[in-house]
């Protein structure tokens, strides 16, 4: 070994290297065991939607979708078939598509990509803690983050949030390196604002709403260093250029929205436009991009309540993500001024990132799992303050290690109970999955269903349309080239409003019979009334009731004459399939 290599080897703290490798191996094992025990297939809408988009990408179909929301069809009125996807950012589906290319489409592959980025986030947390403080803070923060049950649940959640968390950790490392450069030589390398701009674009293309995190980063560059205006300008220009192509693509497809269809989430889940019903409707009055801007003013009461409820829910559901054991230390650390200027700069950004993320979750109706983005920062600063208190007590090293181990065990306990004592999942395939997997045998190109995300993924070829809300919606879908000839209803219908025809159709046998043959049902009611000694006026009243119900209900006219299909071996108790009588 040369003298230079020997000197380098002597400077390496090998015990720390071995400890670091050992801990990350352990974190990988914990994440894998949690996946084996807890993952039971893709169950959430976004998970399944991402999977079918990724399959389209991997098969050469481009960033397109087979899951049709009636609202989106009107936005994409001038688009060619297949329909471009405007509800998700491209980075996570493309990452999943890359795995599909090598391993073939599968539910497991979608989760593995999520797990890889979660593990990379653990590694980034370690590097951030080491950069801002020291080795033990970094490794302790990564370990605490990596054994948290809520974080592990997101890690196997087959969503884009672990990827977004990794980009944010890299962004905080960039800010820390930039701040150090500013403090050391009163200047900043231009590479840092450039890289920060690229990372903001990565966040935007992971989830469109995360563009909002560019605001606190822009403020940071605008006030830091003697060349702050140059750094701010470079960051802004790079971010705009990097986001530009995808923003332009979204604006072209949606008539002006750089956030894609996510822009209309401003109106979703309010008293005026509940989420599901909004995207299942085709309404001219809400499709313009101007409505996104005007809605908060015109419906201020409903909009403000949405923000307040959404923010409080995000915080309440996000607290377990930060780790209940380390959370008190993390909260206090936000009020403590550390000796490291770079750490204080990142801590200052924390004040802007958390409110911006909560605002984005509430404003755009994001999944609360998005709160995992700030979990690495909480782990790092909570760990740093924990060690400050521990060092202040001047305990014997043996007792110090005992306290650290005790904290780690408390943090790990919820995950451990799932891994060791949790109930093992079953491999039974339910009736819904079995039918949708074989739905290609129905011989149709367009399917209307209450689980279009699942149908689009399992059928592999058909376009799956979310159940429209009215006869007018169905007529417009027909004009756009999506005729309603086959409808599949599943237990998901029970989540609809009880006044919806789809709910009644699924839950009430008499409604199904009336849809198929109204004259026969009315005749049976009349005959039954005669048997009970009722006069003809009662039968006429019942007939008027059904006729009035048909006129007033939302989709009665479009489905009159539909008959339940004979599925043979695919017949189930959970699923109802209806076809036009001439099909």
């Amino acid at each position: 070994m040369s003298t230079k290599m020997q000197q380098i080897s002597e400077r390496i703290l090998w015990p720390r290297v071995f400890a670091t490798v050992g801990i990350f191996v352990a974190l990988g094992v914990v994440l894998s065991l949690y996946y084996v025990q807890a993952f039971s297939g893709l169950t959430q809408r976004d998970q399944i939607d991402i999977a079918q988009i990724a399959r389209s990408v991997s098969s050469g179909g481009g960033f397109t979708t087979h899951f049709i929301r009636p609202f989106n069809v009107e936005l994409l009125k001038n688009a060619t078939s297949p329909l471009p996807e405007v509800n998700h950012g491209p980075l996570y589906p493309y990452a999943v598509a890359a795995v599909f290319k090598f391993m073939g489409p599968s539910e497991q592959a979608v989760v593995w990509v999520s797990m890889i980025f979660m593990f990379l986030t653990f590694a980034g947390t370690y590097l951030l803690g080491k950069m801002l403080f020291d080795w033990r803070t970094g490794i302790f923060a990564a370990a605490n983050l990596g054994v948290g049950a809520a974080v592990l649940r997101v890690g196997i959640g087959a969503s884009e949030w672990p990827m977004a968390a990794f980009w944010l950790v890299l962004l905080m490392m960039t800010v820390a390196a930039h701040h150090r450069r500013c403090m050391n030589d009163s200047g900043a390398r231009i590479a840092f604002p450039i890289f920060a701009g690229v990372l903001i674009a990565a966040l935007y293309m992971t989830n469109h709403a995360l563009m909002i995190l560019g605001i606190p980063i822009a403020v940071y560059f605008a006030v830091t260093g003697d060349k702050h205006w140059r750094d701010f300008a470079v960051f802004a220009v790079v971010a705009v250029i990097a986001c530009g192509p995808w923003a332009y693509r979204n604006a072209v497809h949606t008539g002006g929205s750089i956030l894609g269809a996510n822009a209309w989430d401003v109106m979703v889940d309010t008293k005026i436009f509940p989420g599901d019903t909004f995207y299942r409707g085709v309404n001219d009055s809400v499709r313009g991009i101007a409505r996104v801007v005007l809605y908060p003013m015109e419906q201020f009461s409903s909009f403000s309540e949405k923000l307040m409820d959404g923010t409080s829910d995000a915080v309440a559901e996000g607290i377990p993500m930060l780790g209940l054991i380390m959370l008190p230390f993390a909260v206090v650390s936000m009020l403590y001024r550390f000796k490291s200027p770079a750490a204080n700069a990142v801590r200052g950004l924390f004040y802007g990132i958390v409110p911006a993320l909560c605002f984005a979750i509430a404003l755009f109706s994001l999944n609360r799992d998005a709160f995992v983005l700030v979990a690495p920062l909480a782990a790092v600063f909570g760990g740093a303050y924990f060690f400050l208190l521990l060092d202040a007590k001047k305990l014997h090293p043996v007792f110090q290690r005992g306290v650290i181990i005790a904290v780690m065990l408390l943090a790990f306990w919820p995950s451990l109970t799932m891994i060791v004592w949790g109930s093992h999942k079953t491999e039974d395939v339910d009736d819904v999955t079995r039918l949708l997997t074989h739905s290609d045998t129905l011989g149709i190109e367009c399917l209307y269903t209450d689980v279009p995300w699942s149908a689009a993924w399992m059928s592999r070829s058909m376009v799956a349309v979310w159940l429209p809300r009215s006869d007018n919606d169905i007529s417009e879908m027909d004009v756009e080239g999506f005729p309603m000839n086959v409808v599949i209803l599943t237990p998901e219908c029970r989540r609809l409003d009880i006044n919806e025809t789809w709910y009644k159709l699924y839950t009430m046998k008499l409604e199904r019979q009336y849809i198929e043959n109204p004259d026969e049902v009315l005749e049976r009611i009349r005959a039954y009334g005669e048997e009970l000694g009722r006069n003809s006026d009662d039968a006429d009243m019942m007939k008027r009731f059904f006729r009035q119900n048909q006129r007033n209900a939302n989709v009665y006219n479009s489905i009159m004459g539909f008959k339940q299909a004979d599925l043979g071996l695919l017949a189930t108790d959970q699923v109802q399939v209806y076809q036009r009588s001439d099909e």
Side-chain angles (χ1 to χ4, degrees):
M1 181 183 295
S2 65
T3 304
K4 187 174 182 180
M5 291 295 295
Q6 186 174 359
Q7 290 175 348
I8 294 175
S9 178
E10 289 174 353
R11 286 198 298 268
I12 296 176
L13 300 176
W14 289 107
R16 288 189 177 181
V17 172
F18 291 136
T20 302
V21 172
I23 287 174
F24 274 98
V25 169
L27 291 179
V29 171
V30 169
L31 181 59
S32 300
L33 291 176
Y34 196 91
Y35 159 74
V36 169
Q37 182 71 344
F39 179 69
S40 57
L42 301 181
T43 57
Q44 302 300 315
R45 297 176 185 175
D46 283 346
Q47 297 173 344
I48 305 170
D49 196 14
I50 286 172
Q52 63 96 11
I53 296 167
R55 185 178 60 200
S56 179
V57 172
S58 66
S59 62
F63 198 70
T64 58
T65 183
H66 289 268
F67 167 20
I68 307 301
R69 301 159 175 84
F71 179 82
N72 286 20
V73 167
E74 287 300 311
L75 289 178
L76 303 170
K77 201 164 186 176
N78 297 321
T80 57
S81 183
L83 286 176
E85 168 59 29
V86 292
N87 293 276
H88 295 280
L91 290 188
Y92 188 71
Y94 268 93
V96 174
V99 178
F100 283 179
K101 275 286 189 181
F102 291 99
M103 306 182 63
S106 70
E107 295 187 352
Q108 289 73 21
V110 186
V111 182
W112 292 342
V113 176
S114 176
M115 292 170 64
I116 289 171
F117 278 98
M118 195 78 260
F119 189 80
L120 290 175
T121 301
F122 299 158
T125 301
Y126 160 70
L127 294 175
L128 180 63
K130 189 174 183 293
M131 177 183 291
L132 296 180
F133 300 103
D134 51 28
W135 173 82
R136 66 173 182 172
T137 300
I139 201 67
F140 181 76
N144 262 283
L145 185 71
V147 299
V151 172
L152 292 174
R153 177 181 57 78
V154 176
I156 67 167
S159 70
E160 72 271 28
W161 302 120
M163 174 185 274
F166 177 61
W167 301 141
L168 188 61
V169 169
L170 290 184
L171 184 57
M172 294 301 100
M173 292 171 63
T174 302
V175 168
H178 173 268
H179 202 83
R180 280 187 175 179
R181 182 70 176 176
C182 289
M183 297 299 103
N184 289 340
D185 58 10
S186 299
R189 292 179 178 173
I190 201 170
F192 297 126
I194 290 175
F195 194 46
V198 172
L199 288 172
I200 285 297
L203 284 166
Y204 163 64
M205 288 190 285
T206 301
N207 187 289
H208 298 136
L210 295 182
M211 177 184 278
I212 198 171
L213 299 183
I215 296 175
I217 304 300
V219 171
Y220 163 79
F221 281 115
V223 301
T224 304
D226 62 336
K227 298 181 180 179
H228 53 95
W229 289 118
R230 184 202 68 177
D231 292 342
F232 169 76
V234 170
F235 165 76
V237 169
V238 171
V240 169
I241 292 175
C243 294
W246 192 256
Y248 176 76
R249 179 256 188 199
N250 281 345
V252 168
H253 286 313
T254 61
S257 169
I258 65 173
L259 299 180
N262 299 115
W264 283 268
D265 285 343
V266 170
M267 296 182 277
V268 172
D269 290 333
T270 66
K271 291 180 179 178
I272 308 302
F273 293 111
D276 285 0
T277 57
F278 180 81
Y279 279 107
R280 289 171 47 224
V282 179
N283 189 337
D284 285 322
S285 65
V286 298
R287 283 198 300 267
I289 189 63
R291 293 291 301 123
V292 176
V293 179
L294 297 176
Y295 180 81
M297 295 179 284
E298 295 177 354
Q299 304 293 340
F300 179 77
S301 176
S302 180
F303 177 73
S304 58
E305 186 174 339
K306 164 192 168 75
L307 288 188
M308 289 186 291
D309 291 345
T311 302
S312 60
D313 289 346
V315 173
E317 295 184 28
I319 285 177
M321 204 81 67
L322 306 181
L324 296 179
I325 303 302
M326 295 307 298
L327 183 61
F329 299 102
V331 171
V332 177
S333 72
M334 291 297 103
L335 307 175
Y336 183 80
R337 188 169 185 82
F338 295 95
K339 293 181 180 180
S340 166
N344 291 323
V346 175
R347 179 174 60 89
L349 273 175
F350 198 89
Y351 297 149
I353 288 173
V354 172
L357 183 61
C358 289
F359 186 73
I361 291 174
L363 184 67
F364 297 104
S365 306
L366 301 182
N367 190 301
R368 304 304 187 254
D369 287 350
F371 220 78
V372 77
L373 270 72
V374 297
L377 293 176
V380 167
F381 284 97
Y385 193 76
F386 168 75
F387 281 118
L388 280 176
L389 296 180
L390 198 59
D391 291 342
K393 295 297 182 182
K394 300 186 182 299
L395 298 176
H396 188 278
V398 173
F399 291 112
Q400 275 199 357
R401 293 190 186 99
V403 172
I404 294 171
I405 292 172
V407 170
M408 286 297 305
L409 287 175
L410 288 174
F412 184 38
W413 184 253
S415 304
L416 184 63
T417 57
M418 168 59 76
I419 292 172
V420 178
W421 296 291
S423 299
H424 286 275
K425 54 190 178 294
T426 63
E427 300 297 332
D428 293 337
V429 179
D430 62 26
D431 292 340
V432 177
T433 302
R434 184 181 297 107
L435 176 63
L436 292 177
T437 302
H438 294 86
S439 55
D440 289 336
T441 61
L442 295 174
I444 56 173
E445 296 180 357
C446 181
L447 170 70
Y448 280 66
T449 178
D450 52 353
V451 285
W453 46 88
S454 296
W457 167 244
M458 295 175 188
S459 70
R460 298 179 178 269
S461 62
M462 291 188 305
V463 169
V465 182
W466 213 346
L467 295 177
R469 297 193 61 222
S470 71
D471 290 310
N472 289 337
D473 296 337
I474 294 173
S475 297
E476 289 212 33
M477 294 296 294
D478 191 20
V479 170
E480 295 300 327
F482 301 98
M484 189 178 73
N485 295 321
V486 176
V487 179
I488 293 182
L489 303 183
T490 75
E492 182 78 10
C493 264
R494 296 185 182 276
R495 299 178 56 183
L496 302 179
D497 188 282
I498 61 174
N499 293 315
E500 278 208 42
T501 301
W502 301 116
Y503 176 90
K504 296 177 181 178
L505 188 62
Y506 183 80
T507 58
M508 300 172 63
K509 184 176 180 180
L510 187 61
E511 291 285 342
R512 295 195 289 271
Q513 294 173 341
Y514 182 76
I515 292 296
E516 184 172 335
N517 193 330
D519 293 333
E520 180 181 337
V521 170
L522 294 176
E523 177 59 27
R524 282 164 50 195
I525 291 175
R526 186 194 63 75
Y528 184 67
E530 290 180 353
E531 289 182 13
L532 296 178
R534 301 285 186 179
N535 58 38
S536 59
D537 291 340
D538 291 335
D540 291 339
M541 182 177 66
M542 184 63 69
K543 181 177 181 180
R544 287 194 299 272
F545 169 78
F546 271 97
R547 296 299 189 194
Q548 184 69 22
N549 193 32
Q550 179 180 341
R551 286 193 294 270
N552 295 338
N554 39 26
V555 296
Y556 253 116
N557 293 326
S558 298
I559 61 176
M560 292 302 294
F562 273 67
K563 295 183 178 181
Q564 283 194 266
D566 182 8
L567 300 177
L569 295 177
L570 293 178
T572 72
D573 294 330
Q574 293 189 69
V575 186
Q576 300 169 10
V577 180
Y578 298 88
Q579 292 181 303
R580 288 191 184 276
S581 57
D582 57 345
E583 290 294 315

